[in-house]
PDB file of all heavy atoms in Angstrom:
ATOM      1  N   ALA A1346      20.122 -12.570  -4.394  1.00 99.00           N
ATOM      2  CA  ALA A1346      20.105 -11.079  -4.439  1.00 99.00           C
ATOM      3  C   ALA A1346      21.514 -10.601  -4.027  1.00 99.00           C
ATOM      4  O   ALA A1346      22.078  -9.700  -4.547  1.00 99.00           O
ATOM      5  CB  ALA A1346      19.085 -10.577  -3.511  1.00 99.00           C
ATOM      6  N   ARG A1347      22.182 -11.399  -3.006  1.00 98.00           N
ATOM      7  CA  ARG A1347      23.536 -10.881  -2.568  1.00 98.00           C
ATOM      8  C   ARG A1347      24.496 -11.051  -3.732  1.00 98.00           C
ATOM      9  O   ARG A1347      25.340 -10.171  -3.997  1.00 98.00           O
ATOM     10  CB  ARG A1347      23.777 -11.780  -1.376  1.00 98.00           C
ATOM     11  CG  ARG A1347      25.212 -11.495  -0.694  1.00 98.00           C
ATOM     12  CD  ARG A1347      24.928 -10.367   0.387  1.00 98.00           C
ATOM     13  NE  ARG A1347      25.277  -9.090  -0.103  1.00 98.00           N
ATOM     14  CZ  ARG A1347      24.970  -7.975   0.461  1.00 98.00           C
ATOM     15  NH1 ARG A1347      24.050  -7.896   1.525  1.00 98.00           N
ATOM     16  NH2 ARG A1347      25.408  -6.855   0.018  1.00 98.00           N
ATOM     17  N   PHE A1350      24.082  -8.457  -6.285  1.00 98.00           N
ATOM     18  CA  PHE A1350      24.554  -7.215  -5.824  1.00 98.00           C
ATOM     19  C   PHE A1350      26.081  -7.197  -5.780  1.00 98.00           C
ATOM     20  O   PHE A1350      26.667  -6.237  -6.321  1.00 98.00           O
ATOM     21  CB  PHE A1350      23.999  -6.857  -4.470  1.00 98.00           C
ATOM     22  CG  PHE A1350      24.432  -5.413  -4.112  1.00 98.00           C
ATOM     23  CD1 PHE A1350      23.609  -4.341  -4.550  1.00 98.00           C
ATOM     24  CD2 PHE A1350      25.459  -5.165  -3.327  1.00 98.00           C
ATOM     25  CE1 PHE A1350      23.935  -3.017  -4.299  1.00 98.00           C
ATOM     26  CE2 PHE A1350      25.849  -3.894  -2.962  1.00 98.00           C
ATOM     27  CZ  PHE A1350      25.069  -2.758  -3.482  1.00 98.00           C
ATOM     28  N   ASP A1351      26.699  -8.154  -5.171  1.00 98.00           N
ATOM     29  CA  ASP A1351      28.184  -8.215  -4.990  1.00 98.00           C
ATOM     30  C   ASP A1351      28.880  -8.392  -6.352  1.00 98.00           C
ATOM     31  O   ASP A1351      30.022  -7.852  -6.463  1.00 98.00           O
ATOM     32  CB  ASP A1351      28.590  -9.279  -3.998  1.00 98.00           C
ATOM     33  CG  ASP A1351      28.129  -8.933  -2.619  1.00 98.00           C
ATOM     34  OD1 ASP A1351      27.703  -7.715  -2.338  1.00 98.00           O
ATOM     35  OD2 ASP A1351      28.085  -9.756  -1.693  1.00 98.00           O
ATOM     36  N   PRO A1356      24.056  -3.306 -10.108  1.00 98.00           N
ATOM     37  CA  PRO A1356      24.432  -1.998  -9.415  1.00 98.00           C
ATOM     38  C   PRO A1356      25.610  -1.258 -10.067  1.00 98.00           C
ATOM     39  O   PRO A1356      25.802  -0.071  -9.770  1.00 98.00           O
ATOM     40  CB  PRO A1356      24.876  -2.559  -8.029  1.00 98.00           C
ATOM     41  CG  PRO A1356      24.638  -4.025  -8.052  1.00 98.00           C
ATOM     42  CD  PRO A1356      24.318  -4.457  -9.422  1.00 98.00           C
ATOM     43  N   GLU A1436      25.419   5.714  -3.057  1.00 98.00           N
ATOM     44  CA  GLU A1436      25.552   4.278  -3.549  1.00 98.00           C
ATOM     45  C   GLU A1436      24.411   3.418  -3.248  1.00 98.00           C
ATOM     46  O   GLU A1436      23.691   3.696  -2.244  1.00 98.00           O
ATOM     47  CB  GLU A1436      26.817   3.691  -2.873  1.00 98.00           C
ATOM     48  CG  GLU A1436      28.094   4.363  -3.119  1.00 98.00           C
ATOM     49  CD  GLU A1436      29.301   3.865  -2.320  1.00 98.00           C
ATOM     50  OE1 GLU A1436      29.056   3.259  -1.228  1.00 98.00           O
ATOM     51  OE2 GLU A1436      30.366   3.988  -2.882  1.00 98.00           O
ATOM     52  N   PRO A1437      24.124   2.438  -4.056  1.00 98.00           N
ATOM     53  CA  PRO A1437      22.965   1.486  -3.797  1.00 98.00           C
ATOM     54  C   PRO A1437      23.299   0.824  -2.418  1.00 98.00           C
ATOM     55  O   PRO A1437      24.416   0.449  -2.187  1.00 98.00           O
ATOM     56  CB  PRO A1437      23.006   0.577  -4.941  1.00 98.00           C
ATOM     57  CG  PRO A1437      24.294   0.798  -5.645  1.00 98.00           C
ATOM     58  CD  PRO A1437      24.794   2.090  -5.344  1.00 98.00           C
ATOM     59  N   LEU A1438      22.250   0.682  -1.603  1.00 98.00           N
ATOM     60  CA  LEU A1438      22.471   0.223  -0.266  1.00 98.00           C
ATOM     61  C   LEU A1438      22.829  -1.236  -0.189  1.00 98.00           C
ATOM     62  O   LEU A1438      23.473  -1.723   0.724  1.00 98.00           O
ATOM     63  CB  LEU A1438      21.196   0.556   0.492  1.00 98.00           C
ATOM     64  CG  LEU A1438      21.178   0.415   2.009  1.00 98.00           C
ATOM     65  CD1 LEU A1438      22.375   1.260   2.677  1.00 98.00           C
ATOM     66  CD2 LEU A1438      19.918   0.805   2.668  1.00 98.00           C
ATOM     67  N   GLY A1439      22.251  -2.121  -1.153  1.00 98.00           N
ATOM     68  CA  GLY A1439      22.491  -3.523  -1.138  1.00 98.00           C
ATOM     69  C   GLY A1439      21.334  -4.353  -1.370  1.00 98.00           C
ATOM     70  O   GLY A1439      20.628  -4.121  -2.362  1.00 98.00           O
ATOM     71  N   VAL A1440      21.041  -5.271  -0.544  1.00 99.00           N
ATOM     72  CA  VAL A1440      19.920  -6.200  -0.725  1.00 99.00           C
ATOM     73  C   VAL A1440      18.748  -5.668   0.107  1.00 99.00           C
ATOM     74  O   VAL A1440      18.831  -5.397   1.339  1.00 99.00           O
ATOM     75  CB  VAL A1440      20.187  -7.625  -0.234  1.00 99.00           C
ATOM     76  CG1 VAL A1440      18.989  -8.562  -0.279  1.00 99.00           C
ATOM     77  CG2 VAL A1440      21.395  -8.222  -1.066  1.00 99.00           C
ATOM     78  N   ALA A1441      17.677  -5.387  -0.563  1.00 99.00           N
ATOM     79  CA  ALA A1441      16.473  -4.787   0.091  1.00 99.00           C
ATOM     80  C   ALA A1441      15.494  -5.963   0.333  1.00 99.00           C
ATOM     81  O   ALA A1441      15.248  -6.731  -0.482  1.00 99.00           O
ATOM     82  CB  ALA A1441      15.804  -3.743  -0.890  1.00 99.00           C
ATOM     83  N   GLY A1442      14.819  -5.899   1.501  1.00 99.00           N
ATOM     84  CA  GLY A1442      13.773  -6.803   1.826  1.00 99.00           C
ATOM     85  C   GLY A1442      12.407  -6.026   1.707  1.00 99.00           C
ATOM     86  O   GLY A1442      12.284  -5.055   2.419  1.00 99.00           O
ATOM     87  N   ALA A1461      13.992   0.922  -5.595  1.00 98.00           N
ATOM     88  CA  ALA A1461      15.100   0.048  -5.280  1.00 98.00           C
ATOM     89  C   ALA A1461      15.863  -0.257  -6.537  1.00 98.00           C
ATOM     90  O   ALA A1461      17.095  -0.315  -6.468  1.00 98.00           O
ATOM     91  CB  ALA A1461      14.552  -1.287  -4.612  1.00 98.00           C
ATOM     92  N   ALA A1464      17.841   2.701  -7.682  1.00 98.00           N
ATOM     93  CA  ALA A1464      19.028   3.035  -6.912  1.00 98.00           C
ATOM     94  C   ALA A1464      20.182   1.992  -7.146  1.00 98.00           C
ATOM     95  O   ALA A1464      21.270   2.171  -6.929  1.00 98.00           O
ATOM     96  CB  ALA A1464      18.689   2.936  -5.396  1.00 98.00           C
ATOM     97  N   GLY A1465      19.772   0.798  -7.831  1.00 98.00           N
ATOM     98  CA  GLY A1465      20.803  -0.161  -8.075  1.00 98.00           C
ATOM     99  C   GLY A1465      20.854  -1.270  -7.078  1.00 98.00           C
ATOM    100  O   GLY A1465      21.861  -1.954  -7.027  1.00 98.00           O
ATOM    101  N   CYS A1466      19.826  -1.400  -6.249  1.00 99.00           N
ATOM    102  CA  CYS A1466      19.783  -2.405  -5.206  1.00 99.00           C
ATOM    103  C   CYS A1466      19.329  -3.738  -5.932  1.00 99.00           C
ATOM    104  O   CYS A1466      18.751  -3.693  -6.975  1.00 99.00           O
ATOM    105  CB  CYS A1466      18.799  -2.069  -4.160  1.00 99.00           C
ATOM    106  SG  CYS A1466      19.326  -0.746  -3.016  1.00 99.00           S
ATOM    107  N   THR A1467      19.483  -4.790  -5.189  1.00 99.00           N
ATOM    108  CA  THR A1467      18.870  -6.073  -5.551  1.00 99.00           C
ATOM    109  C   THR A1467      17.809  -6.367  -4.396  1.00 99.00           C
ATOM    110  O   THR A1467      17.896  -5.707  -3.349  1.00 99.00           O
ATOM    111  CB  THR A1467      19.824  -7.223  -5.692  1.00 99.00           C
ATOM    112  OG1 THR A1467      20.470  -7.379  -4.436  1.00 99.00           O
ATOM    113  CG2 THR A1467      20.860  -6.846  -6.822  1.00 99.00           C
ATOM    114  N   MET A1468      16.847  -7.295  -4.634  1.00 99.00           N
ATOM    115  CA  MET A1468      15.757  -7.340  -3.648  1.00 99.00           C
ATOM    116  C   MET A1468      15.210  -8.725  -3.590  1.00 99.00           C
ATOM    117  O   MET A1468      15.183  -9.581  -4.521  1.00 99.00           O
ATOM    118  CB  MET A1468      14.809  -6.260  -3.993  1.00 99.00           C
ATOM    119  CG  MET A1468      14.074  -6.484  -5.271  1.00 99.00           C
ATOM    120  SD  MET A1468      13.623  -4.854  -6.056  1.00 99.00           S
ATOM    121  CE  MET A1468      15.290  -4.304  -6.594  1.00 99.00           C
ATOM    122  N   VAL A1496      18.164 -10.093  -9.441  1.00 99.00           N
ATOM    123  CA  VAL A1496      17.994  -8.674  -8.938  1.00 99.00           C
ATOM    124  C   VAL A1496      16.664  -8.546  -8.281  1.00 99.00           C
ATOM    125  O   VAL A1496      16.497  -8.028  -7.157  1.00 99.00           O
ATOM    126  CB  VAL A1496      18.030  -7.695 -10.238  1.00 99.00           C
ATOM    127  CG1 VAL A1496      17.564  -6.361  -9.747  1.00 99.00           C
ATOM    128  CG2 VAL A1496      19.461  -7.631 -10.640  1.00 99.00           C
ATOM    129  N   ASN A1516      21.937 -10.864   5.966  1.00 98.00           N
ATOM    130  CA  ASN A1516      22.431 -10.483   4.655  1.00 98.00           C
ATOM    131  C   ASN A1516      21.503  -9.521   3.959  1.00 98.00           C
ATOM    132  O   ASN A1516      21.717  -9.261   2.808  1.00 98.00           O
ATOM    133  CB  ASN A1516      22.803 -11.715   3.843  1.00 98.00           C
ATOM    134  CG  ASN A1516      24.308 -11.781   3.642  1.00 98.00           C
ATOM    135  OD1 ASN A1516      24.938 -10.790   3.669  1.00 98.00           O
ATOM    136  ND2 ASN A1516      24.708 -12.995   3.525  1.00 98.00           N
ATOM    137  N   VAL A1517      20.498  -9.093   4.632  1.00 99.00           N
ATOM    138  CA  VAL A1517      19.481  -8.081   4.100  1.00 99.00           C
ATOM    139  C   VAL A1517      19.855  -6.840   4.624  1.00 99.00           C
ATOM    140  O   VAL A1517      20.089  -6.600   5.859  1.00 99.00           O
ATOM    141  CB  VAL A1517      18.091  -8.455   4.402  1.00 99.00           C
ATOM    142  CG1 VAL A1517      17.132  -7.394   4.099  1.00 99.00           C
ATOM    143  CG2 VAL A1517      17.689  -9.832   3.667  1.00 99.00           C
ATOM    144  N   ASP A1518      20.048  -5.726   3.824  1.00 99.00           N
ATOM    145  CA  ASP A1518      20.655  -4.496   4.186  1.00 99.00           C
ATOM    146  C   ASP A1518      19.588  -3.428   4.572  1.00 99.00           C
ATOM    147  O   ASP A1518      19.842  -2.367   5.144  1.00 99.00           O
ATOM    148  CB  ASP A1518      21.539  -3.891   3.109  1.00 99.00           C
ATOM    149  CG  ASP A1518      22.640  -4.875   2.737  1.00 99.00           C
ATOM    150  OD1 ASP A1518      23.379  -5.174   3.735  1.00 99.00           O
ATOM    151  OD2 ASP A1518      22.897  -5.281   1.620  1.00 99.00           O
ATOM    152  N   MET A1519      18.337  -3.618   4.241  1.00 98.00           N
ATOM    153  CA  MET A1519      17.322  -2.754   4.581  1.00 98.00           C
ATOM    154  C   MET A1519      15.893  -3.423   4.469  1.00 98.00           C
ATOM    155  O   MET A1519      15.841  -4.316   3.607  1.00 98.00           O
ATOM    156  CB  MET A1519      17.303  -1.357   3.949  1.00 98.00           C
ATOM    157  CG  MET A1519      16.886  -1.467   2.338  1.00 98.00           C
ATOM    158  SD  MET A1519      15.113  -1.543   2.111  1.00 98.00           S
ATOM    159  CE  MET A1519      14.704   0.186   2.257  1.00 98.00           C
ATOM    160  N   TYR A1765      16.904   3.640  -0.375  1.00 98.00           N
ATOM    161  CA  TYR A1765      17.663   2.599  -1.029  1.00 98.00           C
ATOM    162  C   TYR A1765      19.082   3.007  -1.372  1.00 98.00           C
ATOM    163  O   TYR A1765      19.785   2.324  -2.108  1.00 98.00           O
ATOM    164  CB  TYR A1765      16.969   2.142  -2.319  1.00 98.00           C
ATOM    165  CG  TYR A1765      15.516   1.688  -2.066  1.00 98.00           C
ATOM    166  CD1 TYR A1765      14.409   2.601  -2.136  1.00 98.00           C
ATOM    167  CD2 TYR A1765      15.277   0.458  -1.535  1.00 98.00           C
ATOM    168  CE1 TYR A1765      13.195   2.132  -1.798  1.00 98.00           C
ATOM    169  CE2 TYR A1765      14.011   0.053  -1.114  1.00 98.00           C
ATOM    170  CZ  TYR A1765      12.889   0.924  -1.364  1.00 98.00           C
ATOM    171  OH  TYR A1765      11.641   0.505  -1.067  1.00 98.00           O
ATOM    172  N   LEU A1766      19.507   4.155  -0.880  1.00 98.00           N
ATOM    173  CA  LEU A1766      20.865   4.706  -1.155  1.00 98.00           C
ATOM    174  C   LEU A1766      21.703   4.909   0.104  1.00 98.00           C
ATOM    175  O   LEU A1766      21.069   5.264   1.172  1.00 98.00           O
ATOM    176  CB  LEU A1766      20.757   5.974  -1.866  1.00 98.00           C
ATOM    177  CG  LEU A1766      20.144   5.987  -3.229  1.00 98.00           C
ATOM    178  CD1 LEU A1766      19.796   7.299  -3.784  1.00 98.00           C
ATOM    179  CD2 LEU A1766      21.157   5.278  -4.225  1.00 98.00           C
ATOM    180  N   ALA A1767      22.945   4.706   0.147  1.00 98.00           N
ATOM    181  CA  ALA A1767      23.787   5.067   1.288  1.00 98.00           C
ATOM    182  C   ALA A1767      24.676   6.153   0.836  1.00 98.00           C
ATOM    183  O   ALA A1767      25.217   6.141  -0.296  1.00 98.00           O
ATOM    184  CB  ALA A1767      24.593   3.793   1.587  1.00 98.00           C
TER     185      ALA A1767
END
Side-chain angles (χ1 to χ4, degrees):
R1347 185 85 260 162
F1350 188 80
D1351 290 346
E1436 300 176 331
L1438 194 56
V1440 176
C1466 287
T1467 62
M1468 62 213 74
V1496 172
N1516 248 332
V1517 170
D1518 298 305
M1519 66 84 74
Y1765 303 97
L1766 293 166

